[in-house]
Amino acid sequence: MDNQDEEGTTMCSVNGRRRRSAVLLATAMAATVALWGGATGAVAGAETGATEREWLDIRVFAEVPDPGHPEGITVADDGTVYVGTQQHITEIPKGPSKIFAYDPGGHLTREYVIEGQDPNRGAGIVGLAQDGDGIVYALDRYPQRVIALDPRTGEQRDYATFHQVKDLCVSLPALVLVTQCVVPDGLTFGPDGSLYVTDVGQALIWRVPPGGGKAEVWFSDPRIESVLGANGIAFVDEDTLMFAQTLTGPFDGPLPRVDTSKLYTLDIRPDGSPGALETFWQSKPLDGIDGFAIAESGNIYIAMALAKSVVVVSPQGREIGRNPANLLENQLQEVPFDDPASVAFLDDRVLVTNHSLFLGNPNSFVVHDVYAGEKGKPEYRPIIRARS
């Protein structure tokens, strides 16, 4: 079979999944209404611009090849979709991470093999971002750094590095997230070219100066201490950062308890220092926020890793919808959500990476495409000049 036939077969498979997903979701919707009488889709549709039927539309945008575990995602101005790959925390290392490029229709167009990773730790690319020249910035965990990738030439260079701040760190893959090791996770550019990076292990936010270099601790607070702490991050406006805390920490009440997730906001003062930490929204127990993206309307589309759903929160901090509405509805999809990780807008839809961090199921390695009915808020993508 030649390459053209292979590509045609692959696309038939993806398109077939899309058609089957629509049928299964219609069945799931009927089952959900019958069992719970839910109106989640109708509520979300009314406040996002989507009809109830459109809101329930979840498709497979693309399958993600080896090493799988898609996590980071970013969409270029021309519609090219970049997806980064990670690895299950207990898997035997199987080679370097890759970043895959897809066209707006979900066709794989190019892959980039990440250079300089620790061969004993496996793949480790998490969050992705872009600057105004189209350079892709990828967070790497092995070693802890930001890579600048020119997608036109494939050239890669280290843009920023991180260091251990907290004393409690056990450098074993299965324990790194229950100790305070440096674990960079989400990243976003500010309007001045500074790069802000969450650290899920050390309960802090890093700032990388314009042009790159050694990251500095910009914000830390005991309230965001957690087994799974600071995660997704984005700018609400030029003076306000929003970030996610995956699970609440020890200052949210004594154990045992069922942890929720939170979205926080931080104002940036005129001198560039962080302002007061404010709780914007708190989730249901064990939702497990990972990444999120903000719409032009101010609605926030959130990947819930543990709830296996996309949740929409209004600009006033009120949940207005979930898709799928519950775990039963999720299981009726052709490819269920399996630790959904990152969110990015592509026109009036959101793309969601299916991470499968805990189960490591190869059948889950896809990018989902969920109808939103509105477009994303433009991200800050400053022109970055490398520091000499």
Side-chain angles (χ1 to χ4, degrees), residues 102-147:
Y102 299 86
D103 68 18
H107 303 88
L108 180 62
T109 59
R110 189 168 177 180
E111 67 177 49
Y112 305 88
V113 178
I114 301 303
E115 301 166 358
Q117 287 187 316
D118 183 345
N120 298 315
R121 298 299 297 271
I125 293 296
V126 281
L128 299 181
Q130 292 177 72
D131 69 13
D133 288 325
I135 303 300
V136 175
Y137 295 80
L139 269 177
D140 192 5
R141 290 183 177 173
Y142 311 122
Q144 294 94 353
R145 58 181 176 163
V146 176
I147 301 162

Side-chain angles (χ1 to χ4, degrees), residues 31-295:
T32 301
V33 172
L35 289 173
W36 288 282
T40 304
V43 173
E47 300 196 38
T48 64
T51 66
E52 181 175 359
R53 183 173 181 179
E54 288 171 332
W55 168 246
L56 290 168
D57 178 14
I58 304 177
R59 309 172 184 174
V60 172
F61 172 76
E63 297 176 348
V64 179
D66 189 73
H69 297 286
E71 179 161 351
I73 188 168
T74 184
V75 180
D77 292 340
D78 66 358
T80 301
V81 178
Y82 297 99
V83 177
T85 55
Q86 211 207 9
Q87 186 167 324
H88 188 280
I89 56 177
T90 60
E91 284 177 339
I92 296 174
K94 55 181 180 181
S97 294
K98 295 178 181 179
I99 293 177
F100 295 104
Y102 299 86
D103 68 18
H107 303 88
L108 180 62
T109 59
R110 189 168 177 180
E111 67 177 49
Y112 305 88
V113 178
I114 301 303
E115 301 166 358
Q117 287 187 316
D118 183 345
N120 298 315
R121 298 299 297 271
I125 293 296
V126 281
L128 299 181
Q130 292 177 72
D131 69 13
D133 288 325
I135 303 300
V136 175
Y137 295 80
L139 269 177
D140 192 5
R141 290 183 177 173
Y142 311 122
Q144 294 94 353
R145 58 181 176 163
V146 176
I147 301 162
L149 165 68
D150 187 333
R152 291 156 293 202
T153 64
E155 181 184 357
Q156 301 174 35
R157 61 184 176 86
D158 286 359
Y159 181 78
T161 57
F162 305 91
H163 59 278
Q164 186 66 39
V165 175
K166 303 294 180 70
D167 294 330
L168 178 62
C169 175
V170 180
S171 57
L172 295 174
L175 294 177
V176 67
L177 290 181
V178 298
T179 60
Q180 293 181 318
C181 297
V182 52
V183 186
D185 199 280
L187 74 170
T188 190
F189 276 109
D192 70 343
S194 297
L195 186 64
Y196 296 86
V197 180
T198 55
D199 192 320
V200 73
Q202 296 194 106
L204 56 85
I205 296 175
W206 299 94
R207 178 186 171 275
V208 178
K214 186 177 180 180
E216 59 191 30
V217 176
W218 181 72
F219 174 81
S220 185
D221 191 289
R223 287 173 290 176
I224 63 172
E225 299 276 0
S226 176
V227 172
L228 289 168
N231 208 318
I233 186 170
F235 272 84
V236 177
D237 56 48
E238 65 180 6
D239 299 318
T240 309
L241 264 176
M242 176 177 285
F243 70 95
Q245 182 183 19
T246 302
L247 295 175
T248 46
F251 289 88
D252 285 275
L255 295 173
R257 63 170 190 271
V258 181
D259 281 354
T260 60
S261 303
K262 290 184 179 180
L263 286 177
Y264 288 105
T265 57
L266 269 172
D267 290 335
I268 299 179
R269 298 184 178 123
D271 65 357
S273 63
L277 180 70
E278 302 288 346
T279 299
F280 176 80
W281 176 74
Q282 182 166 286
S283 77
K284 296 178 181 178
L286 292 181
D287 271 350
I289 293 177
D290 199 323
F292 63 89
I294 303 174

